PDB file of all heavy atoms in Angstrom:
ATOM      1  N   PRO Q 166     -13.398 -78.056 131.317  1.00  0.00           N
ATOM      2  CA  PRO Q 166     -13.864 -79.044 132.307  1.00  0.00           C
ATOM      3  C   PRO Q 166     -13.270 -78.838 133.698  1.00  0.00           C
ATOM      4  O   PRO Q 166     -13.874 -79.240 134.699  1.00  0.00           O
ATOM      5  CB  PRO Q 166     -13.414 -80.384 131.712  1.00  0.00           C
ATOM      6  CG  PRO Q 166     -13.239 -80.117 130.249  1.00  0.00           C
ATOM      7  CD  PRO Q 166     -12.784 -78.697 130.141  1.00  0.00           C
ATOM      8  N   VAL Q 167     -12.103 -78.213 133.762  1.00  0.00           N
ATOM      9  CA  VAL Q 167     -11.426 -78.036 135.061  1.00  0.00           C
ATOM     10  C   VAL Q 167     -11.882 -76.775 135.790  1.00  0.00           C
ATOM     11  O   VAL Q 167     -11.338 -76.449 136.842  1.00  0.00           O
ATOM     12  CB  VAL Q 167      -9.888 -77.985 134.870  1.00  0.00           C
ATOM     13  CG1 VAL Q 167      -9.372 -79.298 134.323  1.00  0.00           C
ATOM     14  CG2 VAL Q 167      -9.490 -76.821 133.956  1.00  0.00           C
ATOM     15  N   LEU Q 168     -12.881 -76.060 135.226  1.00  0.00           N
ATOM     16  CA  LEU Q 168     -13.277 -74.769 135.798  1.00  0.00           C
ATOM     17  C   LEU Q 168     -13.716 -74.899 137.252  1.00  0.00           C
ATOM     18  O   LEU Q 168     -13.339 -74.079 138.094  1.00  0.00           O
ATOM     19  CB  LEU Q 168     -14.391 -74.137 134.958  1.00  0.00           C
ATOM     20  CG  LEU Q 168     -14.956 -72.819 135.504  1.00  0.00           C
ATOM     21  CD1 LEU Q 168     -13.855 -71.775 135.620  1.00  0.00           C
ATOM     22  CD2 LEU Q 168     -16.090 -72.306 134.628  1.00  0.00           C
ATOM     23  N   LYS Q 169     -14.515 -75.903 137.553  1.00  0.00           N
ATOM     24  CA  LYS Q 169     -15.016 -76.076 138.926  1.00  0.00           C
ATOM     25  C   LYS Q 169     -13.858 -76.175 139.915  1.00  0.00           C
ATOM     26  O   LYS Q 169     -13.876 -75.530 140.975  1.00  0.00           O
ATOM     27  CB  LYS Q 169     -15.892 -77.332 138.983  1.00  0.00           C
ATOM     28  CG  LYS Q 169     -16.550 -77.574 140.323  1.00  0.00           C
ATOM     29  CD  LYS Q 169     -17.467 -78.785 140.256  1.00  0.00           C
ATOM     30  CE  LYS Q 169     -18.093 -79.064 141.620  1.00  0.00           C
ATOM     31  NZ  LYS Q 169     -19.012 -80.222 141.578  1.00  0.00           N
ATOM     32  N   GLN Q 170     -12.822 -76.935 139.549  1.00  0.00           N
ATOM     33  CA  GLN Q 170     -11.665 -77.096 140.422  1.00  0.00           C
ATOM     34  C   GLN Q 170     -10.834 -75.813 140.465  1.00  0.00           C
ATOM     35  O   GLN Q 170     -10.280 -75.460 141.520  1.00  0.00           O
ATOM     36  CB  GLN Q 170     -10.802 -78.266 139.955  1.00  0.00           C
ATOM     37  CG  GLN Q 170      -9.651 -78.615 140.898  1.00  0.00           C
ATOM     38  CD  GLN Q 170     -10.122 -79.058 142.272  1.00  0.00           C
ATOM     39  OE1 GLN Q 170     -11.087 -79.802 142.398  1.00  0.00           O
ATOM     40  NE2 GLN Q 170      -9.445 -78.569 143.315  1.00  0.00           N
ATOM     41  N   LYS Q 171     -10.740 -75.102 139.344  1.00  0.00           N
ATOM     42  CA  LYS Q 171      -9.978 -73.848 139.303  1.00  0.00           C
ATOM     43  C   LYS Q 171     -10.583 -72.812 140.245  1.00  0.00           C
ATOM     44  O   LYS Q 171      -9.860 -72.091 140.945  1.00  0.00           O
ATOM     45  CB  LYS Q 171      -9.924 -73.288 137.873  1.00  0.00           C
ATOM     46  CG  LYS Q 171      -8.979 -74.043 136.942  1.00  0.00           C
ATOM     47  CD  LYS Q 171      -8.947 -73.417 135.551  1.00  0.00           C
ATOM     48  CE  LYS Q 171      -8.249 -72.060 135.558  1.00  0.00           C
ATOM     49  NZ  LYS Q 171      -8.111 -71.521 134.184  1.00  0.00           N
ATOM     50  N   ILE Q 172     -11.923 -72.727 140.255  1.00  0.00           N
ATOM     51  CA  ILE Q 172     -12.595 -71.789 141.160  1.00  0.00           C
ATOM     52  C   ILE Q 172     -12.327 -72.176 142.607  1.00  0.00           C
ATOM     53  O   ILE Q 172     -12.013 -71.332 143.451  1.00  0.00           O
ATOM     54  CB  ILE Q 172     -14.111 -71.747 140.872  1.00  0.00           C
ATOM     55  CG1 ILE Q 172     -14.377 -71.135 139.486  1.00  0.00           C
ATOM     56  CG2 ILE Q 172     -14.838 -70.947 141.948  1.00  0.00           C
ATOM     57  CD1 ILE Q 172     -15.824 -71.209 139.048  1.00  0.00           C
ATOM     58  N   ARG Q 173     -12.427 -73.464 142.873  1.00  0.00           N
ATOM     59  CA  ARG Q 173     -12.192 -73.943 144.242  1.00  0.00           C
ATOM     60  C   ARG Q 173     -10.754 -73.644 144.672  1.00  0.00           C
ATOM     61  O   ARG Q 173     -10.530 -73.152 145.786  1.00  0.00           O
ATOM     62  CB  ARG Q 173     -12.466 -75.444 144.316  1.00  0.00           C
ATOM     63  CG  ARG Q 173     -12.148 -76.052 145.665  1.00  0.00           C
ATOM     64  CD  ARG Q 173     -12.592 -77.504 145.746  1.00  0.00           C
ATOM     65  NE  ARG Q 173     -12.018 -78.170 146.909  1.00  0.00           N
ATOM     66  CZ  ARG Q 173     -12.350 -79.375 147.328  1.00  0.00           C
ATOM     67  NH1 ARG Q 173     -13.256 -80.072 146.669  1.00  0.00           N
ATOM     68  NH2 ARG Q 173     -11.779 -79.906 148.392  1.00  0.00           N
ATOM     69  N   ASP Q 174      -9.775 -73.897 143.812  1.00  0.00           N
ATOM     70  CA  ASP Q 174      -8.371 -73.646 144.151  1.00  0.00           C
ATOM     71  C   ASP Q 174      -8.112 -72.161 144.380  1.00  0.00           C
ATOM     72  O   ASP Q 174      -7.366 -71.785 145.290  1.00  0.00           O
ATOM     73  CB  ASP Q 174      -7.453 -74.171 143.037  1.00  0.00           C
ATOM     74  CG  ASP Q 174      -7.458 -75.691 142.950  1.00  0.00           C
ATOM     75  OD1 ASP Q 174      -7.907 -76.346 143.903  1.00  0.00           O
ATOM     76  OD2 ASP Q 174      -7.025 -76.213 141.906  1.00  0.00           O
ATOM     77  N   LEU Q 175      -8.737 -71.309 143.541  1.00  0.00           N
ATOM     78  CA  LEU Q 175      -8.569 -69.863 143.693  1.00  0.00           C
ATOM     79  C   LEU Q 175      -9.116 -69.404 145.038  1.00  0.00           C
ATOM     80  O   LEU Q 175      -8.468 -68.632 145.759  1.00  0.00           O
ATOM     81  CB  LEU Q 175      -9.268 -69.132 142.548  1.00  0.00           C
ATOM     82  CG  LEU Q 175      -9.307 -67.600 142.639  1.00  0.00           C
ATOM     83  CD1 LEU Q 175      -7.899 -67.024 142.676  1.00  0.00           C
ATOM     84  CD2 LEU Q 175     -10.084 -67.011 141.465  1.00  0.00           C
ATOM     85  N   CYS Q 176     -10.298 -69.876 145.386  1.00  0.00           N
ATOM     86  CA  CYS Q 176     -10.907 -69.485 146.661  1.00  0.00           C
ATOM     87  C   CYS Q 176     -10.062 -69.952 147.847  1.00  0.00           C
ATOM     88  O   CYS Q 176      -9.909 -69.229 148.839  1.00  0.00           O
ATOM     89  CB  CYS Q 176     -12.328 -70.036 146.764  1.00  0.00           C
ATOM     90  SG  CYS Q 176     -13.505 -69.292 145.595  1.00  0.00           S
ATOM     91  N   GLU Q 177      -9.510 -71.157 147.737  1.00  0.00           N
ATOM     92  CA  GLU Q 177      -8.724 -71.710 148.844  1.00  0.00           C
ATOM     93  C   GLU Q 177      -7.540 -70.817 149.205  1.00  0.00           C
ATOM     94  O   GLU Q 177      -7.154 -70.730 150.371  1.00  0.00           O
ATOM     95  CB  GLU Q 177      -8.210 -73.111 148.488  1.00  0.00           C
ATOM     96  CG  GLU Q 177      -9.295 -74.165 148.310  1.00  0.00           C
ATOM     97  CD  GLU Q 177      -9.910 -74.608 149.620  1.00  0.00           C
ATOM     98  OE1 GLU Q 177      -9.163 -74.913 150.563  1.00  0.00           O
ATOM     99  OE2 GLU Q 177     -11.153 -74.642 149.696  1.00  0.00           O
ATOM    100  N   THR Q 178      -6.947 -70.140 148.203  1.00  0.00           N
ATOM    101  CA  THR Q 178      -5.784 -69.288 148.478  1.00  0.00           C
ATOM    102  C   THR Q 178      -6.146 -68.097 149.360  1.00  0.00           C
ATOM    103  O   THR Q 178      -5.278 -67.536 150.034  1.00  0.00           O
ATOM    104  CB  THR Q 178      -5.157 -68.766 147.162  1.00  0.00           C
ATOM    105  OG1 THR Q 178      -6.103 -67.943 146.472  1.00  0.00           O
ATOM    106  CG2 THR Q 178      -4.736 -69.911 146.263  1.00  0.00           C
ATOM    107  N   TYR Q 179      -7.419 -67.707 149.371  1.00  0.00           N
ATOM    108  CA  TYR Q 179      -7.853 -66.555 150.161  1.00  0.00           C
ATOM    109  C   TYR Q 179      -8.470 -66.943 151.509  1.00  0.00           C
ATOM    110  O   TYR Q 179      -8.736 -66.065 152.342  1.00  0.00           O
ATOM    111  CB  TYR Q 179      -8.872 -65.721 149.388  1.00  0.00           C
ATOM    112  CG  TYR Q 179      -8.276 -64.811 148.338  1.00  0.00           C
ATOM    113  CD1 TYR Q 179      -8.079 -65.247 147.042  1.00  0.00           C
ATOM    114  CD2 TYR Q 179      -7.907 -63.496 148.654  1.00  0.00           C
ATOM    115  CE1 TYR Q 179      -7.531 -64.406 146.070  1.00  0.00           C
ATOM    116  CE2 TYR Q 179      -7.361 -62.652 147.698  1.00  0.00           C
ATOM    117  CZ  TYR Q 179      -7.181 -63.109 146.406  1.00  0.00           C
ATOM    118  OH  TYR Q 179      -6.629 -62.276 145.457  1.00  0.00           O
TER     119      TYR Q 179
END
Side-chain angles (χ1 to χ4, degrees):
V167 296
L168 176 59
K169 184 176 178 179
Q170 187 62 41
K171 286 181 70 175
I172 293 173
R173 176 173 167 171
D174 292 344
L175 174 60
C176 292
E177 295 286 312
T178 63
Y179 281 89

